[in-house]
Amino acid sequence: MRITQEGDYALRVVLYLCNLGMGEKIEAKHIAVHEKIPLRFLLKLLRKLVHGGIVRSFRGVGGGYSIAQEPKNITLKNVIEAIEGPIYVNRCLYDKDFCNLNRTGSCDVHRALNQVQSNLISDLDSITFEKIMKNEL
Amino acid sequence: MRITQEGDYALRVVLYLCNLGMGEKIEAKHIAVHEKIPLRFLLKLLRKLVHGGIVRSFRGVGGGYSIAQEPKNITLKNVIEAIEGPIYVNRCLYDKDFCNLNRTGSCDVHRALNQVQSNLISDLDSITFEKIMKNEL
DNA sequence: TATAAATATACCAAATAAGTATACTTTTGA
DNA sequence: TCAAAAGTATACTTATTTGGTATATTTATA
């Protein structure tokens, strides 16, 4: 039931860029130092955030990264999904072929987990970076 | 944000034993066949459930396993914790030394995740096997 | 007391996550 | 116009976790 180290890094990077402000860009190496993230790993992670539309990148001399959306429109769910893909508590709930009992849909355990998962996802989606910045938790 | 395969197996095993009824015991190999779990792996997993007080074991000829508590007193959280240990969304929230920024307690991201985690845990703890059996979800 | 069960411990293999390396493209500005 | 400073793409390596197996031992019953 954990987010990965990469997901954790990503949340901190997004918060950092949010605090920097919408139009402001900054080079990856500064983020790496500030957040203590290995530079290469950070670059890879930033690309996922760019693909996810959460971060903008600027190439060339004087390039860097900036936040792509207003903090009120970015949620924990958005960031975690950009990094780790779809959120699911149990693989059965994502890949129907996975259940080795072929009980998908009728399995009582998975029905219960599905409920937990729904709550978790909506919870993650309710926490925006604006709330995090303003400490409105 | 996932439970492990072992955790999934365990939930099914506990449900199976619940359905069997409190006093009824059954050998591991029957559970293995019924739930399609590798026997050796199941045995290891059952020991964790025994240590967790969720399942009772009976050694010797005619031995086996039975549920140790009433289904209304066993929750998803109980089983998952017996198998996987304490539930935490982010390692920072469990091992304070882990945060590579030493921001524990003051880190905004982790404060947000802590909230998600609390909700998740209380959600898992609210679903008992009685509810699962009666389909009261 | 032989046998059928669980237990303990250690080991191995597969999958995933974390981190690194190399080569390339884009942009800017002297 | 081209050198340098940024990001991009892809592939690789290493570490950690998870899933599964093996061997030897203990316990309880018929």
Side-chain angles (χ1 to χ4, degrees):
Chain A
M1 309 297 262
R2 289 158 208 172
I3 62 166
T4 59
Q5 176 67 66
E6 189 181 19
D8 182 59
Y9 285 158
L11 292 172
R12 278 156 39 190
V13 167
V14 169
L15 181 60
Y16 182 72
L17 293 176
C18 281
N19 280 323
L20 209 66
M22 273 285 279
E24 298 299 308
K25 69 183 177 222
I26 189 165
E27 306 94 285
K29 61 181 173 186
H30 289 129
I31 305 175
V33 170
H34 192 265
E35 297 295 323
K36 291 197 185 131
I37 303 171
L39 178 59
R40 295 285 181 179
F41 196 62
L42 171 65
L43 288 167
K44 205 167 59 172
L45 169 172
L46 279 163
R47 253 167 283 140
K48 294 185 189 173
L49 294 175
V50 169
H51 284 136
I54 295 167
V55 162
R56 285 191 66 191
S57 68
F58 302 89
R59 299 176 70 153
V61 176
Y65 297 88
S66 73
I67 200 76
Q69 298 182 50
E70 293 189 59
K72 72 175 179 198
N73 293 324
I74 308 172
T75 69
L76 291 180
K77 172 171 178 279
N78 299 151
V79 175
I80 292 170
E81 284 191 333
I83 298 294
E84 302 181 4
I87 293 165
Y88 52 92
V89 165
N90 186 297
R91 196 160 150 187
C92 282
L93 299 173
Y94 175 67
D95 176 0
K96 299 303 186 191
D97 297 330
F98 183 71
C99 183
N100 65 358
L101 288 173
N102 286 349
R103 283 191 195 145
T104 317
S106 65
C107 176
D108 293 325
V109 165
H110 297 156
R111 194 152 38 226
L113 289 176
N114 192 45
Q115 180 134 341
V116 171
Q117 176 174 301
S118 300
N119 290 343
L120 174 63
I121 290 175
S122 68
D123 213 20
L124 287 169
D125 207 31
S126 75
I127 301 182
T128 67
F129 277 79
E130 184 178 59
K131 287 185 187 173
I132 294 172
M133 291 166 77
K134 293 187 177 173
N135 214 341
E136 286 173 0
L137 301 171
Chain B
M1 308 297 262
R2 288 158 208 171
I3 62 165
T4 59
Q5 176 68 65
E6 188 181 19
D8 183 58
Y9 284 158
L11 292 172
R12 279 155 38 190
V13 168
V14 169
L15 181 60
Y16 182 72
L17 293 175
C18 280
N19 279 323
L20 209 66
M22 273 285 279
E24 298 300 309
K25 69 185 178 220
I26 189 165
E27 307 95 283
K29 62 182 174 186
H30 288 128
I31 304 175
V33 170
H34 192 265
E35 296 295 323
K36 291 195 186 135
I37 303 171
L39 178 59
R40 295 284 181 179
F41 196 62
L42 171 65
L43 288 167
K44 203 166 60 171
L45 169 173
L46 278 164
R47 254 167 282 140
K48 294 185 190 174
L49 293 175
V50 170
H51 284 135
I54 296 167
V55 162
R56 284 190 67 190
S57 67
F58 302 88
R59 300 175 72 154
V61 176
Y65 296 88
S66 74
I67 201 75
Q69 297 182 51
E70 292 189 59
K72 71 174 180 199
N73 294 323
I74 307 172
T75 69
L76 292 181
K77 172 171 179 281
N78 299 152
V79 175
I80 292 170
E81 285 192 332
I83 297 295
E84 301 181 3
I87 294 165
Y88 52 92
V89 165
N90 186 296
R91 197 159 150 189
C92 280
L93 299 173
Y94 174 66
D95 176 0
K96 299 304 184 190
D97 297 331
F98 183 71
C99 183
N100 64 359
L101 288 173
N102 286 350
R103 282 193 197 143
T104 318
S106 65
C107 175
D108 292 326
V109 166
H110 297 156
R111 194 152 37 227
L113 289 176
N114 192 45
Q115 181 135 340
V116 171
Q117 177 174 299
S118 299
N119 290 342
L120 173 63
I121 290 175
S122 67
D123 213 21
L124 287 169
D125 207 32
S126 75
I127 301 181
T128 67
F129 277 79
E130 184 178 60
K131 286 186 186 171
I132 295 173
M133 291 166 78
K134 292 188 177 172
N135 215 341
E136 287 173 0
L137 301 171

